[in-house]
Amino acid sequence: MRTGLLAAILAATTILAGCQTNSRDQILQSSASAVQLRSFQTRTFDTADRTQTLRTVIATLQDLGFVVDKADATLGSVSGTKLDGYALRMTVTVRPSGAEQTMVRANAEYNAEAVEDPAPYQRFFEALEKAMFLTAHEVEG
C-alpha cells in the first residue's frame, strides 16, 4: 500500500514537472515574434510630406483592390477592405518620424484575426514603395 502511494506521488511529480513551462522563455518568445511582426508591418520613407504619403497610401490600397472604408487626415489613418472571395481588412497609419521622414505602419486582419504572415505586408509595401518613388519623381501612373 505504501509503495503504491509512493509510486503515485513520484508519477504525479514527474508529470507536473513535464508540464511546467518557463515563463521567461514564453515572454521572450512572444516579444521576439511581436518585434518580427512589427518589422513586417512598418516602413520609413525619406519624406516629411505626411499628406502626400497618406494620399499615396490611399491610391496604393485602391490599386491593390481594396475599397477604402475610412480615411482620416488628422489621425493619419486609412482603413480598407478587400473582398475577393475573402475579407481582408487593412488599416494603415502614417506619422512623422523625425524632421525628414515619415513612418507607415500597416495592420491586416483576416476574419477578425491579426495577419502574422509577412506576404500581404510585403505586397503592400512593394506597391507603396513604387508609388512613393513615382510620386517623388512626379511620374503619373
Side-chain angles (χ1 to χ4, degrees):
M1 175 85 168
R2 195 169 186 183
T3 306
L5 181 61
L6 184 60
I9 291 172
L10 273 173
T13 305
T14 303
I15 290 171
L16 289 174
C19 293
Q20 180 184 8
T21 58
N22 188 340
S23 60
R24 181 177 176 267
D25 289 344
Q26 284 181 330
I27 290 170
L28 290 176
Q29 188 175 33
S30 65
S31 295
S33 64
V35 170
Q36 186 177 25
L37 179 61
R38 184 176 293 188
S39 73
F40 299 145
Q41 296 174 326
T42 307
R43 295 287 188 280
T44 302
F45 295 92
D46 290 332
T47 178
D49 192 343
R50 182 173 167 250
T51 303
Q52 185 59 48
T53 302
L54 200 57
R55 288 182 182 153
T56 307
V57 165
I58 290 170
T60 300
L61 285 172
Q62 290 173 332
D63 289 347
L64 293 173
F66 285 84
V67 175
V68 175
D69 302 320
K70 186 177 179 182
D72 189 324
T74 305
L75 296 175
S77 69
V78 180
S79 296
T81 303
K82 185 174 186 177
L83 301 171
D84 192 18
Y86 55 90
L88 178 65
R89 183 172 170 82
M90 187 171 286
T91 300
V92 182
T93 55
V94 177
R95 63 183 178 99
S97 176
E100 302 289 324
Q101 295 183 321
T102 302
M103 183 181 305
V104 177
R105 183 168 183 187
N107 289 302
E109 290 182 355
Y110 177 75
N111 291 335
E113 298 265 339
V115 175
E116 296 183 2
D117 181 12
Y121 301 109
Q122 289 170 344
R123 278 193 296 273
F124 169 72
F125 282 115
E126 285 173 8
L128 181 62
E129 287 167 0
K130 289 176 185 172
M132 293 287 287
F133 176 82
L134 295 174
T135 300
H137 293 85
E138 298 178 0
V139 176
E140 291 293 322

mmCIF file of all heavy atoms in Angstrom, residues 93-110:
data_model
loop_
_atom_site.group_PDB
_atom_site.id
_atom_site.type_symbol
_atom_site.label_atom_id
_atom_site.label_comp_id
_atom_site.label_asym_id
_atom_site.label_seq_id
_atom_site.Cartn_x
_atom_site.Cartn_y
_atom_site.Cartn_z
ATOM 1 N N THR A 93 -1.468 53.455 -40.825
ATOM 2 C CA THR A 93 -1.268 54.742 -40.160
ATOM 3 C C THR A 93 0.012 55.372 -40.687
ATOM 4 O O THR A 93 0.994 54.687 -40.962
ATOM 5 C CB THR A 93 -1.173 54.587 -38.629
ATOM 6 O OG1 THR A 93 -0.148 53.661 -38.315
ATOM 7 C CG2 THR A 93 -2.482 54.112 -38.047
ATOM 8 N N VAL A 94 -0.048 56.678 -40.821
ATOM 9 C CA VAL A 94 1.078 57.466 -41.333
ATOM 10 C C VAL A 94 1.400 58.520 -40.288
ATOM 11 O O VAL A 94 0.511 59.255 -39.854
ATOM 12 C CB VAL A 94 0.708 58.142 -42.672
ATOM 13 C CG1 VAL A 94 1.841 59.025 -43.161
ATOM 14 C CG2 VAL A 94 0.339 57.106 -43.716
ATOM 15 N N ARG A 95 2.662 58.558 -39.873
ATOM 16 C CA ARG A 95 3.033 59.569 -38.878
ATOM 17 C C ARG A 95 4.479 60.006 -39.101
ATOM 18 O O ARG A 95 5.286 59.257 -39.666
ATOM 19 C CB ARG A 95 2.836 59.064 -37.464
ATOM 20 C CG ARG A 95 3.685 57.903 -37.075
ATOM 21 C CD ARG A 95 3.334 57.437 -35.652
ATOM 22 N NE ARG A 95 4.109 56.284 -35.288
ATOM 23 C CZ ARG A 95 5.202 56.326 -34.549
ATOM 24 N NH1 ARG A 95 5.646 57.460 -34.084
ATOM 25 N NH2 ARG A 95 5.857 55.225 -34.259
ATOM 26 N N PRO A 96 4.781 61.234 -38.674
ATOM 27 C CA PRO A 96 6.146 61.720 -38.839
ATOM 28 C C PRO A 96 7.134 60.891 -38.027
ATOM 29 O O PRO A 96 6.808 60.388 -36.943
ATOM 30 C CB PRO A 96 6.093 63.147 -38.296
ATOM 31 C CG PRO A 96 4.667 63.484 -38.156
ATOM 32 C CD PRO A 96 3.906 62.214 -38.052
ATOM 33 N N SER A 97 8.327 60.753 -38.562
ATOM 34 C CA SER A 97 9.407 60.081 -37.857
ATOM 35 C C SER A 97 10.629 60.989 -37.965
ATOM 36 O O SER A 97 11.368 60.937 -38.942
ATOM 37 C CB SER A 97 9.686 58.714 -38.482
ATOM 38 O OG SER A 97 10.781 58.103 -37.850
ATOM 39 N N GLY A 98 10.754 61.886 -37.010
ATOM 40 C CA GLY A 98 11.810 62.883 -37.089
ATOM 41 C C GLY A 98 11.392 64.007 -38.030
ATOM 42 O O GLY A 98 10.236 64.081 -38.451
ATOM 43 N N ALA A 99 12.320 64.847 -38.375
ATOM 44 C CA ALA A 99 12.010 66.015 -39.204
ATOM 45 C C ALA A 99 11.987 65.696 -40.694
ATOM 46 O O ALA A 99 11.344 66.392 -41.470
ATOM 47 C CB ALA A 99 13.031 67.112 -38.932
ATOM 48 N N GLU A 100 12.641 64.610 -41.104
ATOM 49 C CA GLU A 100 12.812 64.338 -42.531
ATOM 50 C C GLU A 100 12.136 63.061 -43.024
ATOM 51 O O GLU A 100 12.195 62.769 -44.204
ATOM 52 C CB GLU A 100 14.319 64.235 -42.839
ATOM 53 C CG GLU A 100 15.116 65.465 -42.489
ATOM 54 C CD GLU A 100 14.822 66.630 -43.421
ATOM 55 O OE1 GLU A 100 14.605 66.393 -44.616
ATOM 56 O OE2 GLU A 100 14.797 67.774 -42.932
ATOM 57 N N GLN A 101 11.539 62.301 -42.122
ATOM 58 C CA GLN A 101 10.997 61.005 -42.538
ATOM 59 C C GLN A 101 9.544 60.824 -42.104
ATOM 60 O O GLN A 101 9.063 61.507 -41.190
ATOM 61 C CB GLN A 101 11.832 59.863 -41.949
ATOM 62 C CG GLN A 101 13.250 59.825 -42.484
ATOM 63 C CD GLN A 101 14.028 58.648 -41.931
ATOM 64 O OE1 GLN A 101 13.905 58.300 -40.759
ATOM 65 N NE2 GLN A 101 14.814 58.025 -42.790
ATOM 66 N N THR A 102 8.885 59.880 -42.760
ATOM 67 C CA THR A 102 7.520 59.514 -42.434
ATOM 68 C C THR A 102 7.463 58.000 -42.247
ATOM 69 O O THR A 102 7.996 57.249 -43.061
ATOM 70 C CB THR A 102 6.560 59.934 -43.570
ATOM 71 O OG1 THR A 102 6.681 61.337 -43.759
ATOM 72 C CG2 THR A 102 5.129 59.591 -43.231
ATOM 73 N N MET A 103 6.796 57.585 -41.164
ATOM 74 C CA MET A 103 6.676 56.158 -40.872
ATOM 75 C C MET A 103 5.274 55.672 -41.258
ATOM 76 O O MET A 103 4.280 56.329 -40.942
ATOM 77 C CB MET A 103 6.910 55.883 -39.387
ATOM 78 C CG MET A 103 6.865 54.392 -39.059
ATOM 79 S SD MET A 103 7.098 54.033 -37.297
ATOM 80 C CE MET A 103 8.628 54.830 -36.972
ATOM 81 N N VAL A 104 5.232 54.544 -41.939
ATOM 82 C CA VAL A 104 3.967 53.949 -42.361
ATOM 83 C C VAL A 104 3.871 52.575 -41.718
ATOM 84 O O VAL A 104 4.787 51.762 -41.843
ATOM 85 C CB VAL A 104 3.885 53.817 -43.896
ATOM 86 C CG1 VAL A 104 2.592 53.126 -44.310
ATOM 87 C CG2 VAL A 104 4.013 55.172 -44.553
ATOM 88 N N ARG A 105 2.762 52.342 -41.017
ATOM 89 C CA ARG A 105 2.555 51.033 -40.394
ATOM 90 C C ARG A 105 1.221 50.471 -40.843
ATOM 91 O O ARG A 105 0.204 51.169 -40.829
ATOM 92 C CB ARG A 105 2.579 51.133 -38.875
ATOM 93 C CG ARG A 105 2.432 49.762 -38.232
ATOM 94 C CD ARG A 105 2.736 49.775 -36.789
ATOM 95 N NE ARG A 105 2.641 48.417 -36.259
ATOM 96 C CZ ARG A 105 2.724 48.108 -35.008
ATOM 97 N NH1 ARG A 105 2.939 49.044 -34.121
ATOM 98 N NH2 ARG A 105 2.619 46.863 -34.609
ATOM 99 N N ALA A 106 1.228 49.221 -41.264
ATOM 100 C CA ALA A 106 0.024 48.547 -41.743
ATOM 101 C C ALA A 106 -0.339 47.403 -40.808
ATOM 102 O O ALA A 106 0.542 46.686 -40.330
ATOM 103 C CB ALA A 106 0.248 48.006 -43.148
ATOM 104 N N ASN A 107 -1.626 47.277 -40.544
ATOM 105 C CA ASN A 107 -2.145 46.151 -39.764
ATOM 106 C C ASN A 107 -3.236 45.487 -40.580
ATOM 107 O O ASN A 107 -4.171 46.159 -41.008
ATOM 108 C CB ASN A 107 -2.734 46.619 -38.434
ATOM 109 C CG ASN A 107 -1.685 47.067 -37.475
ATOM 110 O OD1 ASN A 107 -0.794 46.309 -37.134
ATOM 111 N ND2 ASN A 107 -1.761 48.309 -37.044
ATOM 112 N N ALA A 108 -3.103 44.194 -40.794
ATOM 113 C CA ALA A 108 -4.089 43.463 -41.583
ATOM 114 C C ALA A 108 -4.841 42.478 -40.703
ATOM 115 O O ALA A 108 -4.265 41.904 -39.767
ATOM 116 C CB ALA A 108 -3.405 42.726 -42.728
ATOM 117 N N GLU A 109 -6.125 42.306 -41.011
ATOM 118 C CA GLU A 109 -6.973 41.325 -40.317
ATOM 119 C C GLU A 109 -7.673 40.471 -41.354
ATOM 120 O O GLU A 109 -8.139 40.982 -42.372
ATOM 121 C CB GLU A 109 -8.048 42.028 -39.481
ATOM 122 C CG GLU A 109 -7.550 42.742 -38.288
ATOM 123 C CD GLU A 109 -8.696 43.364 -37.490
ATOM 124 O OE1 GLU A 109 -9.850 43.304 -37.928
ATOM 125 O OE2 GLU A 109 -8.408 43.923 -36.431
ATOM 126 N N TYR A 110 -7.742 39.195 -41.054
ATOM 127 C CA TYR A 110 -8.498 38.262 -41.875
ATOM 128 C C TYR A 110 -9.472 37.551 -40.947
ATOM 129 O O TYR A 110 -9.037 36.896 -39.988
ATOM 130 C CB TYR A 110 -7.553 37.259 -42.544
ATOM 131 C CG TYR A 110 -8.250 36.209 -43.356
ATOM 132 C CD1 TYR A 110 -8.785 36.521 -44.596
ATOM 133 C CD2 TYR A 110 -8.388 34.924 -42.875
ATOM 134 C CE1 TYR A 110 -9.442 35.556 -45.342
ATOM 135 C CE2 TYR A 110 -9.033 33.948 -43.608
ATOM 136 C CZ TYR A 110 -9.558 34.267 -44.848
ATOM 137 O OH TYR A 110 -10.205 33.309 -45.576
#
